[in-house]
Amino acid sequence: MVPFLDLKAINAQYRDELADAATRVIDSGWYIQGTEVRAFEEEFAEYCGSKHCIGVANGLDALILTLRAWKEMGMLNEGDEVIVPANTYIASILAITENRLKPVLVEPDEVSFNLCSEKAASAITPRTKAIVAVHLYGQISPMPELMRLAEEHGLLVLEDSAQAHGASIDSRKAGSWGHAAGFSFYPGKNLGALGDAGAVTTDDQELAKTIRALANYGSHEKYQNLYQGINSRLDEIQAAMLRVKLRYLEDEIAHRRSVADAYLNGISNTEICLPLQSNTRQKILSTHVWHLFVVRCQHREMLRKHLERKGIKTLIHYPIPPHKQEAYHEWCVQSYPISELIHEQILSLPIGPTLIKSDVEAVIQAVNSFR
């Protein structure tokens, strides 16, 4: 059996260090907003190439709080339009609607699955005030083009970097391109905690200060509340776990890239559409962090069942696009054909930092034997 992602095996590599980190927190007697959180914030900001990092409870809160902070700072207002890819995970949309902003869904690029700058430009109206650039599956969005577009129209850019820890363009990492970025450290992410955790990175000191207050009951100073905030703080133990795992992130990314390279070299079944075009392959291989390896197949369900019979675990990211979700039933009458086709055809193959060579070969053989 080839697992999709073996979290137990991933964390077992660092078990002693993780246990030491947990013990350090337990023995400190300080469990909220302590030295581990502050140290992780500094280390992750440096890793991303950003001036500030604010730890929060999860990735969704990272996005919600950033948009909320821009509202508190007078940079966004209720009803403003926010451009977002139509094929993203629901969290990207929830963050927008939670702030009473209007999502404007834009069809993605069919090869990268990320936001297309030309299509984003076509969606801009006088009400457009921000872009949520989702770095889907581990590949960074076309940030140079999107930032030029934002500058031209005076727009804010929020990177949804939940799947892109370490992804880059021209050696500039996700989290340092936009005006702010939201990260998730959900256990299955490339940089995963042992529970829920998240963070915001930004170069804007005032934004960082506002987010930090909003996430702490709206308090900038103990028992004084500037805002009607929430409780969304990175846990001290999770910060300690993340500090351990951050040290090994680049090694794990390198392993993911080797698995992706093996798939790209070895999968020859013409029924399968691989994630990269040949003329961009080498460039993207060096910047993509392969949170997921997503193929497309017209007969996706048949492929999924075939691989299951061969002992290969797969997942679908994601089976239902946001505009088809009951939570947003008012959009169900709208059509986004590219997104709908992508969601009907995509299948995620096993990939991870502990996947061994024989498992990779088994996946390749199983995919190539599909007819």
Side-chain angles (χ1 to χ4, degrees):
M1 180 68 68
V2 179
F4 181 77
L5 183 68
D6 191 340
L7 292 178
K8 184 177 179 180
I10 291 171
N11 290 317
Q13 302 174 103
Y14 320 121
R15 190 184 190 285
D16 290 345
E17 290 178 76
L18 293 170
D20 288 345
T23 300
R24 186 170 67 244
V25 174
I26 293 167
D27 291 346
S28 75
W30 194 303
Y31 309 120
I32 298 291
Q33 302 284 36
T35 57
E36 297 293 338
V37 169
R38 293 291 177 260
F40 173 72
E41 289 176 338
E42 292 175 4
E43 291 161 7
F44 192 66
E46 182 179 2
Y47 175 78
C48 293
S50 185
K51 292 181 180 178
H52 305 282
C53 173
I54 308 96
V56 296
N58 55 68
L60 175 56
D61 281 1
L63 300 177
I64 290 174
L65 286 163
T66 302
L67 294 171
R68 168 76 187 282
W70 279 331
K71 288 177 68 179
E72 294 289 353
M73 295 166 67
M75 302 171 76
L76 290 176
N77 295 289
E78 287 190 14
D80 285 345
E81 294 178 354
V82 180
I83 289 173
V84 63
N87 64 315
T88 186
Y89 181 57
I90 196 71
S92 309
I93 312 293
L94 290 170
I96 297 169
T97 57
E98 178 67 18
N99 280 287
R100 299 182 183 275
L101 302 167
K102 181 181 178 181
V104 176
L105 305 186
V106 174
E107 292 272 55
D109 176 82
E110 291 186 67
V111 175
S112 71
F113 304 116
N114 278 335
L115 190 61
C116 170
S117 56
E118 290 82 3
K119 292 173 183 174
S122 299
I124 293 174
T125 75
R127 295 289 295 169
T128 306
K129 300 300 179 184
I131 298 172
V132 174
V134 183
H135 307 325
L136 205 59
Y137 304 149
Q139 183 176 350
I140 196 168
S141 298
M143 294 308 297
E145 294 87 348
L146 290 173
M147 293 309 295
R148 283 195 293 269
L149 182 66
E151 184 175 0
E152 180 182 346
H153 293 273
L155 307 178
L156 296 165
V157 177
L158 172 57
E159 297 176 68
D160 184 341
S161 300
Q163 301 184 3
H165 317 74
S168 63
I169 294 177
D170 296 330
S171 300
R172 186 172 172 181
K173 287 187 173 67
S176 66
W177 281 92
H179 300 102
F183 286 88
S184 167
F185 304 120
Y186 181 80
K189 304 298 185 186
N190 285 23
L191 178 59
L194 274 69
D196 271 323
V200 178
T201 58
T202 182
D203 284 347
D204 186 333
Q205 184 174 1
E206 187 61 27
L207 177 63
K209 181 179 177 181
T210 305
I211 292 171
R212 196 176 294 282
L214 284 169
N216 188 35
Y217 298 96
S219 175
H220 65 298
E221 189 174 330
K222 194 168 184 178
Y223 301 129
Q224 295 184 37
N225 301 77
L226 278 174
Y227 314 107
Q228 297 176 26
I230 63 172
N231 177 14
S232 179
R233 299 175 299 205
L234 176 60
D235 184 84
E236 187 76 356
I237 282 186
Q238 294 305 337
M241 302 294 103
L242 288 166
R243 291 186 68 199
V244 171
K245 297 185 72 176
L246 180 59
R247 295 197 289 268
Y248 300 99
L249 179 57
E250 286 298 312
D251 291 338
E252 292 198 358
I253 289 172
H255 188 87
R256 287 175 178 272
R257 286 176 177 152
S258 70
V259 173
D261 196 29
Y263 284 162
L264 292 166
N265 278 318
I267 295 175
S268 57
N269 191 331
T270 56
E271 295 286 324
I272 310 301
C273 180
L274 295 169
L276 302 181
Q277 292 179 317
S278 59
N279 63 338
T280 61
R281 176 179 158 188
Q282 289 305 318
K283 180 179 179 181
I284 295 178
L285 267 173
S286 66
T287 61
H288 201 312
V289 295
W290 300 101
H291 172 60
L292 297 169
F293 190 94
V294 181
V295 301
R296 290 174 62 179
C297 180
Q298 290 185 356
H299 308 289
R300 192 259 307 280
E301 190 58 21
M302 292 173 61
L303 173 61
R304 188 191 67 79
K305 290 180 178 179
H306 168 80
L307 294 177
E308 186 175 16
R309 289 192 295 270
K310 296 286 187 178
I312 311 297
K313 292 291 186 182
T314 60
L315 290 175
I316 300 170
H317 297 90
Y318 304 93
I320 305 173
H323 70 281
K324 293 292 186 182
Q325 297 286 357
E326 182 60 29
Y328 294 109
H329 58 85
E330 68 270 22
W331 293 343
C332 289
V333 296
Q334 301 182 48
S335 177
Y336 298 90
I338 295 175
S339 294
E340 290 164 18
L341 184 64
I342 288 173
H343 284 266
E344 289 171 3
Q345 294 184 349
I346 53 176
L347 188 68
S348 300
L349 302 182
I351 193 165
T354 59
L355 206 61
I356 60 177
K357 184 177 179 181
S358 60
D359 286 341
V360 175
E361 292 172 349
V363 172
I364 293 170
Q365 292 172 9
V367 172
N368 284 340
S369 67
F370 173 70
R371 296 291 183 267

